[in-house]
Amino acid sequence: MTASGPEDCPVETTNDIRIPCPAGWSRQRTEGTDLVLLAPPAGNGAFRPNVVVTSQPYDGSIAKLSTFAMAAAIAELDRAHLIACNIWPHPAGNGRQIEYTHQLGNQVLHVQRWTFAVNGRAVDVTATCAATQLTAFDELFGYLAAKIEFRRAG
Amino acid sequence: MAAFPHKEPRTEAFASVHTGEQLEQLSGIAARQPYVSQGPWLTAGSLQLLQTAAESGRLGRFGIAGKAAELDQLVSAGLLTDKGKLTGQGRLVTSPWRDSVASLRIAAQFGGRASVFQAWLGPEGCLVLAGPSYDRFLAGNSQAGHQLDFLALGHLYPAIAAWVGIAPAWSLASEPLSIDLQTVNRRFGGETVPVPEGADPVLVNMWRQPWFIWQLLVEPESGHPETFINAGESGHYHLAVAEDRAQLNARPSGALYRDLARAIDRAVHR
């Protein structure tokens, strides 16, 4: 399985952010989320990599938001293994890049989550693929994360 | 909708003071995500018996003579019958020894004590033999022997990450410092070695952490293996060696995880 290239990405928007949509990916409506982008099906029951944007009111620190996100991953997911928590600088305000694996059924999934405390809101962009797909999708996910724009200037 | 806590989180003392930012505490996470395997712990003698059985399908009468204790471990694990014949499960689990596409080996040491993690990647799955992991050394609970497991390929990634203790840490930049290799080697041995002269505060803090030192070897392929140091709350470091001098370079945990993932992928898709 190979990831599509980042060229010619149309932009998808939520109330909070703008993010590119990779060529061939589809946008889905899913309750409780602001945006879901789904990779085209690859067949063979392979996991479909996806990007999910969620947001909610929040006026605390990014340190607290980050700690909350990591604690939630450990508490709510099966065999979560935290890999990284890095400062993710953004002109709108500092964020974090949090990374972990967890088990879903028989699969091990790899999650990168960019989380921001901006404009009185907590905004999460979560990119998920199978652990075995990371090498193929890492560059695309990194590109999407680098292109996140907040719609209301902070 | 999530209920956010009111309280601010604990901060990582050194990293927050050093950067002047409120940085949440990350140390302590590694200890809470240990290497977990449901597989049996095997002694060196049992392992040898299992390898002999895997080669020929069964152990003869002479093969098991005087080895009741070793055989017993393998029978309890469901790998051999009490006559010394491989069970169906035993055949599956040991299949990567006969038919592996690649194998990888991580040699580690902590406080002068050694351990090893080995995986043979076969078409049916990965045979894993894991000695004491990072979290066990940290907890002072490093029993001898190897824990055997059989994993689907996808499960190998977090298994290795857990075994070497990859976890979030604030990777702080430090001034490059050329250190005498002998000094680093003595520090590897667990001796109390003074902090090298000229070390900046980040390196001083790193030098004082417990070190778990490891090298990854992938067969076939490997050139010279790279050396990495898991330095607790200071995160991970790569040891760059040139002749008799060494330099410690921070390697953020996410980048290190990718080093491992790429090594596995290359081995599989060679």
Side-chain angles (χ1 to χ4, degrees):
Chain A
M1 174 186 261
T2 53
S4 51
E7 56 290 326
D8 299 329
C9 294
V11 170
E12 294 288 348
T13 58
T14 71
N15 284 333
D16 298 295
I17 66 165
R18 296 155 55 87
I19 189 168
C21 177
W25 286 44
S26 50
R27 178 168 180 168
Q28 293 211 332
R29 304 243 163 250
T30 306
E31 206 175 322
T33 68
D34 297 351
L35 173 68
V36 175
L37 300 174
L38 200 58
N44 307 325
F47 183 80
R48 287 177 76 179
N50 60 73
V51 173
V52 177
V53 180
T54 59
S55 66
Q56 52 196 308
Y58 179 74
D59 57 8
S61 69
I62 184 64
K64 184 160 83 173
L65 186 59
S66 162
T67 303
F68 176 79
M70 287 189 281
I74 291 174
E76 291 163 16
L77 299 170
D78 186 17
R79 297 192 71 167
H81 183 96
L82 293 168
I83 294 167
C85 170
N86 299 308
I87 293 173
W88 189 263
H90 192 283
N94 263 352
R96 295 282 189 268
Q97 181 221 14
I98 294 166
E99 191 170 10
Y100 49 86
T101 58
H102 70 96
Q103 209 169 308
L104 187 70
N106 288 326
Q107 293 201 88
V108 176
L109 301 184
H110 182 276
V111 180
Q112 291 182 76
R113 180 165 167 178
W114 291 270
T115 188
F116 303 92
V118 171
N119 304 329
R121 297 184 70 75
V123 181
D124 269 308
V125 178
T126 305
T128 307
C129 62
T132 50
Q133 295 169 330
L134 176 64
T135 316
F137 282 87
D138 204 21
E139 194 181 343
L140 177 66
F141 286 159
Y143 172 81
L144 298 187
K147 292 288 176 188
I148 295 168
E149 282 178 36
F150 287 85
R151 296 187 69 194
R152 288 167 293 173
Chain B
M1 184 155 292
F4 294 109
H6 291 293
K7 261 174 66 175
E8 284 296 316
R10 288 174 189 220
T11 53
E12 193 76 69
F14 178 81
S16 295
V17 170
H18 184 76
T19 58
E21 289 191 53
Q22 183 200 3
L23 296 178
E24 57 276 25
Q25 188 176 56
L26 302 177
S27 60
I29 293 176
R32 290 203 300 272
Q33 41 187 32
Y35 174 77
V36 176
S37 163
Q38 305 305 322
W41 281 91
L42 301 177
T43 58
S46 286
L47 258 180
Q48 209 167 29
L49 220 54
L50 183 62
Q51 271 166 332
T52 309
E55 279 161 22
S56 48
R58 63 178 309 139
L59 299 163
R61 217 155 26 99
F62 295 109
I64 56 178
K67 303 213 169 100
E70 288 86 346
L71 180 64
D72 205 37
Q73 285 185 30
L74 299 168
V75 174
S76 308
L79 300 168
L80 293 187
T81 66
D82 55 8
K83 301 272 192 303
K85 188 165 178 275
L86 279 179
T87 62
Q89 182 175 245
R91 261 196 307 282
L92 173 68
V93 166
T94 58
S95 63
W97 275 340
R98 294 182 292 272
D99 190 17
S100 71
V101 292
S103 69
L104 59 90
R105 178 186 171 87
I106 300 170
Q109 54 172 308
F110 183 95
R113 299 186 54 199
S115 185
V116 66
F117 178 103
Q118 286 175 280
W120 289 264
L121 284 52
E124 314 279 342
C126 308
L127 167 58
V128 170
L129 287 176
S133 50
Y134 172 71
D135 58 281
R136 282 183 178 268
F137 278 111
L138 215 57
N141 178 27
S142 56
Q143 74 179 92
H146 289 90
Q147 203 171 11
L148 179 139
D149 213 337
F150 189 71
L151 304 174
L153 179 64
H155 294 242
L156 189 61
Y157 299 77
I160 293 178
W163 196 83
V164 301
I166 288 182
W170 298 113
S171 263
L172 305 172
S174 63
E175 288 297 319
L177 181 68
S178 170
I179 307 167
D180 180 31
L181 192 55
Q182 278 190 350
T183 306
V184 177
N185 279 332
R186 277 195 291 124
R187 177 66 184 79
F188 278 5
E191 287 177 51
T192 312
V193 181
V195 182
E197 225 171 281
D200 70 3
V202 171
L203 270 186
V204 170
N205 191 52
M206 177 270 180
W207 194 268
R208 289 175 178 161
Q209 302 298 321
W211 283 12
F212 181 84
I213 304 121
W214 58 276
Q215 290 186 321
L216 169 70
L217 209 64
V218 180
E219 294 287 352
E221 181 208 318
S222 268
H224 191 67
E226 303 287 335
T227 303
F228 294 97
I229 300 164
N230 177 349
E233 72 160 63
S234 292
H236 300 266
Y237 279 75
H238 172 245
L239 184 78
V241 178
E243 292 179 13
D244 60 344
R245 308 294 292 178
Q247 195 171 303
L248 295 162
N249 301 316
R251 190 78 181 138
S253 54
L256 186 60
Y257 179 84
R258 282 160 178 75
D259 293 340
L260 287 167
R262 274 193 297 269
I264 298 171
D265 292 355
R266 271 201 312 272
V268 172
H269 300 297
R270 193 168 42 86

Coordinates of all heavy atoms in Angstrom, one line a residue, chain B residues 90-140:
Chain B
G90 N 3.8 -25.8 18.9 CA 5.2 -25.8 18.9 C 5.8 -25.6 17.5 O 6.7 -24.9 17.3
R91 N 5.1 -26.3 16.5 CA 5.6 -26.2 15.1 C 5.4 -24.8 14.6 O 6.2 -24.3 13.9 CB 4.8 -27.2 14.3 CG 5.6 -28.5 14.0 CD 5.0 -29.3 12.8 NE 3.6 -29.6 13.0 CZ 3.1 -30.5 13.8 NH1 3.9 -31.3 14.5 NH2 1.8 -30.7 13.9
L92 N 4.2 -24.3 14.9 CA 3.9 -22.9 14.4 C 4.9 -21.9 15.0 O 5.4 -21.1 14.3 CB 2.4 -22.5 14.8 CG 2.0 -21.1 14.5 CD1 2.0 -20.9 12.9 CD2 0.7 -20.7 15.1
V93 N 5.0 -21.9 16.3 CA 5.8 -21.0 17.0 C 7.3 -21.0 16.6 O 7.9 -20.0 16.5 CB 5.7 -21.2 18.6 CG1 6.8 -20.4 19.3 CG2 4.3 -20.8 19.0
T94 N 7.8 -22.2 16.3 CA 9.2 -22.3 15.9 C 9.4 -22.2 14.4 O 10.5 -22.3 13.9 CB 9.8 -23.7 16.4 OG1 9.1 -24.7 15.9 CG2 9.8 -23.7 17.9
S95 N 8.3 -22.1 13.6 CA 8.4 -22.0 12.2 C 9.4 -20.9 11.7 O 10.1 -21.1 10.7 CB 7.1 -21.9 11.5 OG 6.4 -20.7 11.8
P96 N 9.4 -19.7 12.3 CA 10.4 -18.7 11.8 C 11.9 -19.1 12.0 O 12.7 -18.6 11.2 CB 10.1 -17.5 12.7 CG 8.7 -17.7 13.2 CD 8.5 -19.2 13.4
W97 N 12.2 -20.1 12.8 CA 13.6 -20.6 12.9 C 13.9 -21.4 11.6 O 15.1 -21.4 11.2 CB 13.7 -21.5 14.1 CG 14.1 -20.8 15.4 CD1 14.5 -19.5 15.5 CD2 13.9 -21.3 16.7 NE1 14.7 -19.2 16.8 CE2 14.3 -20.2 17.6 CE3 13.5 -22.5 17.2 CZ2 14.3 -20.3 18.9 CZ3 13.5 -22.6 18.6 CH2 13.9 -21.5 19.5
R98 N 12.9 -22.0 11.0 CA 13.2 -22.8 9.8 C 13.0 -21.9 8.5 O 13.6 -22.2 7.5 CB 12.2 -24.0 9.7 CG 12.4 -25.0 10.8 CD 11.5 -26.2 10.7 NE 10.1 -25.8 10.9 CZ 9.5 -25.8 12.2 NH1 10.2 -26.2 13.2 NH2 8.3 -25.5 12.3
D99 N 12.2 -20.9 8.6 CA 11.7 -20.2 7.4 C 11.6 -18.7 7.6 O 10.6 -18.1 7.4 CB 10.4 -20.8 7.0 CG 9.9 -20.4 5.7 OD1 10.8 -19.9 4.9 OD2 8.7 -20.5 5.4
S100 N 12.6 -18.1 8.1 CA 12.5 -16.6 8.4 C 13.0 -15.8 7.3 O 13.9 -16.1 6.6 CB 13.2 -16.3 9.7 OG 14.6 -16.3 9.5
V101 N 12.3 -14.7 7.1 CA 12.7 -13.7 6.0 C 13.8 -12.8 6.5 O 14.6 -12.3 5.8 CB 11.5 -12.9 5.5 CG1 10.5 -13.7 4.7 CG2 10.8 -12.2 6.6
A102 N 13.8 -12.6 7.8 CA 14.8 -11.7 8.5 C 14.8 -12.0 10.0 O 13.8 -12.6 10.5 CB 14.5 -10.3 8.2
S103 N 15.8 -11.6 10.6 CA 15.8 -11.6 12.1 C 16.4 -10.3 12.6 O 17.2 -9.7 11.9 CB 16.5 -12.8 12.6 OG 17.9 -12.7 12.4
L104 N 16.0 -10.0 13.8 CA 16.6 -8.8 14.4 C 17.0 -9.1 15.9 O 16.3 -9.9 16.5 CB 15.8 -7.6 14.3 CG 14.4 -7.5 14.8 CD1 14.4 -7.1 16.3 CD2 13.5 -6.6 14.0
R105 N 18.0 -8.4 16.3 CA 18.5 -8.7 17.6 C 18.8 -7.4 18.3 O 19.5 -6.5 17.7 CB 19.8 -9.5 17.5 CG 20.5 -9.9 18.7 CD 21.8 -10.6 18.3 NE 22.7 -10.7 19.5 CZ 22.6 -11.7 20.4 NH1 21.8 -12.7 20.1 NH2 23.3 -11.8 21.4
I106 N 18.4 -7.2 19.5 CA 18.7 -6.0 20.2 C 19.5 -6.4 21.5 O 19.0 -7.2 22.3 CB 17.5 -5.2 20.7 CG1 16.7 -4.8 19.5 CG2 17.9 -4.0 21.5 CD1 15.3 -4.2 19.8
A107 N 20.7 -6.0 21.5 CA 21.6 -6.3 22.7 C 21.6 -5.1 23.6 O 21.8 -4.0 23.1 CB 23.0 -6.6 22.2
A108 N 21.3 -5.3 24.9 CA 21.2 -4.2 25.8 C 22.0 -4.4 27.1 O 22.3 -5.5 27.4 CB 19.7 -4.0 26.1
Q109 N 22.3 -3.3 27.7 CA 22.9 -3.5 29.1 C 22.4 -2.3 30.0 O 22.1 -1.2 29.5 CB 24.4 -3.5 29.0 CG 25.1 -2.4 28.3 CD 26.6 -2.4 28.5 OE1 27.1 -2.5 29.6 NE2 27.3 -2.4 27.4
F110 N 22.3 -2.6 31.2 CA 21.8 -1.7 32.2 C 22.7 -1.9 33.5 O 22.6 -3.1 34.0 CB 20.4 -1.9 32.5 CG 19.7 -0.9 33.5 CD1 19.1 0.2 33.0 CD2 19.8 -1.1 34.8 CE1 18.5 1.1 33.9 CE2 19.2 -0.2 35.7 CZ 18.6 0.9 35.2
G111 N 23.4 -0.9 34.0 CA 24.1 -1.1 35.2 C 25.1 -2.3 35.1 O 25.3 -3.0 36.1
G112 N 25.7 -2.5 33.9 CA 26.7 -3.6 33.8 C 26.0 -5.0 33.5 O 26.8 -5.9 33.4
R113 N 24.7 -5.0 33.5 CA 24.1 -6.3 33.3 C 23.5 -6.3 31.9 O 23.0 -5.3 31.4 CB 23.0 -6.6 34.3 CG 23.5 -6.6 35.7 CD 22.5 -7.0 36.7 NE 21.9 -8.3 36.4 CZ 20.7 -8.7 36.9 NH1 20.1 -7.9 37.7 NH2 20.2 -9.8 36.5
A114 N 23.6 -7.5 31.2 CA 23.2 -7.6 29.8 C 21.8 -8.2 29.7 O 21.4 -9.0 30.5 CB 24.2 -8.4 29.1
S115 N 21.2 -7.9 28.5 CA 19.9 -8.6 28.2 C 19.8 -8.5 26.6 O 20.5 -7.8 26.0 CB 18.7 -7.9 28.8 OG 17.5 -8.6 28.5
V116 N 18.9 -9.3 26.1 CA 18.8 -9.4 24.6 C 17.4 -9.6 24.2 O 16.6 -10.3 24.9 CB 19.8 -10.4 24.0 CG1 19.4 -11.8 24.5 CG2 19.8 -10.3 22.5
F117 N 17.0 -9.0 23.2 CA 15.6 -9.2 22.5 C 15.9 -9.7 21.1 O 16.6 -9.1 20.4 CB 14.9 -7.9 22.5 CG 13.5 -8.0 21.9 CD1 12.4 -8.0 22.6 CD2 13.4 -8.0 20.5 CE1 11.1 -8.0 22.0 CE2 12.1 -8.0 19.9 CZ 11.0 -8.0 20.6
Q118 N 15.3 -10.9 20.8 CA 15.5 -11.4 19.4 C 14.2 -11.7 18.8 O 13.2 -12.1 19.5 CB 16.3 -12.7 19.5 CG 17.8 -12.5 19.8 CD 18.5 -13.8 19.9 OE1 18.4 -14.4 21.0 NE2 19.1 -14.3 18.9
A119 N 14.1 -11.4 17.5 CA 12.8 -11.7 16.8 C 13.2 -12.3 15.4 O 14.1 -11.8 14.8 CB 12.0 -10.5 16.6
W120 N 12.5 -13.4 15.1 CA 12.7 -14.1 13.8 C 11.4 -13.8 13.1 O 10.3 -14.2 13.6 CB 13.0 -15.5 13.9 CG 14.3 -15.9 14.5 CD1 15.4 -16.2 13.7 CD2 14.7 -15.9 15.8 NE1 16.5 -16.4 14.6 CE2 16.1 -16.3 15.9 CE3 14.1 -15.7 17.0 CZ2 16.8 -16.4 17.0 CZ3 14.8 -15.8 18.2 CH2 16.1 -16.2 18.2
L121 N 11.4 -13.2 11.9 CA 10.2 -12.8 11.2 C 9.9 -13.8 10.1 O 10.7 -14.0 9.1 CB 10.4 -11.4 10.5 CG 10.3 -10.2 11.4 CD1 11.2 -10.3 12.6 CD2 10.6 -8.9 10.6
G122 N 8.9 -14.6 10.3 CA 8.5 -15.6 9.3 C 7.2 -15.3 8.7 O 6.5 -14.3 9.1
P123 N 6.8 -16.1 7.6 CA 5.5 -15.8 6.9 C 4.3 -15.9 7.8 O 3.3 -15.2 7.6 CB 5.5 -16.9 5.8 CG 6.9 -17.5 5.8 CD 7.5 -17.2 7.1
E124 N 4.4 -16.8 8.9 CA 3.2 -17.0 9.8 C 3.2 -16.0 10.9 O 2.2 -15.9 11.6 CB 3.2 -18.4 10.3 CG 3.5 -19.5 9.3 CD 2.3 -19.9 8.5 OE1 1.2 -19.5 9.0 OE2 2.4 -20.5 7.5
G125 N 4.3 -15.4 11.2 CA 4.4 -14.5 12.4 C 5.8 -14.4 12.9 O 6.7 -14.9 12.3
C126 N 6.0 -13.7 14.0 CA 7.3 -13.5 14.5 C 7.5 -14.2 15.8 O 6.7 -14.1 16.8 CB 7.5 -12.0 14.8 SG 7.1 -10.9 13.5
L127 N 8.6 -15.0 15.9 CA 9.0 -15.7 17.1 C 9.9 -14.7 17.9 O 10.9 -14.2 17.4 CB 9.8 -16.9 16.8 CG 10.6 -17.6 17.9 CD1 9.7 -18.0 19.0 CD2 11.3 -18.8 17.4
V128 N 9.5 -14.4 19.1 CA 10.2 -13.4 19.9 C 10.8 -14.1 21.2 O 10.1 -14.9 21.8 CB 9.3 -12.3 20.4 CG1 10.0 -11.4 21.4 CG2 8.9 -11.5 19.2
L129 N 12.1 -13.9 21.5 CA 12.7 -14.3 22.7 C 13.2 -13.0 23.4 O 14.1 -12.3 22.9 CB 13.9 -15.2 22.5 CG 13.6 -16.6 22.0 CD1 14.9 -17.4 21.7 CD2 12.8 -17.4 23.1
A130 N 12.6 -12.7 24.5 CA 12.9 -11.4 25.2 C 13.5 -11.7 26.6 O 12.8 -12.3 27.4 CB 11.6 -10.6 25.3
G131 N 14.7 -11.2 26.7 CA 15.3 -11.2 28.1 C 14.6 -10.0 28.9 O 13.7 -9.4 28.4
P132 N 15.1 -9.7 30.1 CA 14.6 -8.6 30.9 C 14.5 -7.3 30.1 O 15.5 -7.0 29.4 CB 15.5 -8.6 32.1 CG 16.2 -9.9 32.1 CD 16.3 -10.4 30.7
S133 N 13.4 -6.6 30.2 CA 13.2 -5.4 29.4 C 13.6 -4.2 30.3 O 13.9 -4.3 31.5 CB 11.7 -5.3 29.0 OG 10.9 -5.5 30.2
Y134 N 13.6 -3.0 29.6 CA 13.9 -1.8 30.3 C 13.2 -1.6 31.6 O 13.8 -1.3 32.6 CB 13.6 -0.6 29.3 CG 13.8 0.8 30.0 CD1 15.1 1.3 30.3 CD2 12.7 1.6 30.3 CE1 15.2 2.5 30.9 CE2 12.8 2.8 30.9 CZ 14.1 3.3 31.2 OH 14.2 4.5 31.8
D135 N 11.9 -1.7 31.6 CA 11.1 -1.5 32.8 C 11.4 -2.4 33.9 O 11.4 -2.1 35.1 CB 9.6 -1.6 32.5 CG 9.2 -3.0 31.9 OD1 9.5 -3.2 30.7 OD2 8.7 -3.8 32.7
R136 N 11.8 -3.7 33.6 CA 12.2 -4.6 34.6 C 13.5 -4.2 35.3 O 13.7 -4.3 36.5 CB 12.3 -6.0 34.1 CG 11.0 -6.7 33.8 CD 11.2 -8.1 33.4 NE 9.9 -8.8 33.2 CZ 9.3 -9.5 34.2 NH1 9.9 -9.6 35.3 NH2 8.1 -10.0 34.0
F137 N 14.5 -3.8 34.5 CA 15.7 -3.3 35.0 C 15.5 -2.1 36.0 O 16.0 -2.0 37.0 CB 16.7 -2.9 33.9 CG 17.5 -4.1 33.3 CD1 17.2 -4.5 32.0 CD2 18.4 -4.8 34.1 CE1 17.9 -5.6 31.5 CE2 19.1 -5.8 33.6 CZ 18.9 -6.2 32.3
L138 N 14.6 -1.2 35.5 CA 14.3 0.0 36.2 C 13.7 -0.3 37.6 O 14.0 0.3 38.6 CB 13.3 0.9 35.4 CG 13.4 2.4 35.5 CD1 14.8 2.8 35.1 CD2 12.4 3.0 34.6
A139 N 12.9 -1.4 37.6 CA 12.2 -1.8 38.8 C 13.0 -2.7 39.6 O 12.6 -3.2 40.7 CB 10.8 -2.4 38.4
G140 N 14.3 -3.0 39.2 CA 15.1 -4.0 39.9 C 14.6 -5.4 39.9 O 14.8 -6.1 40.9

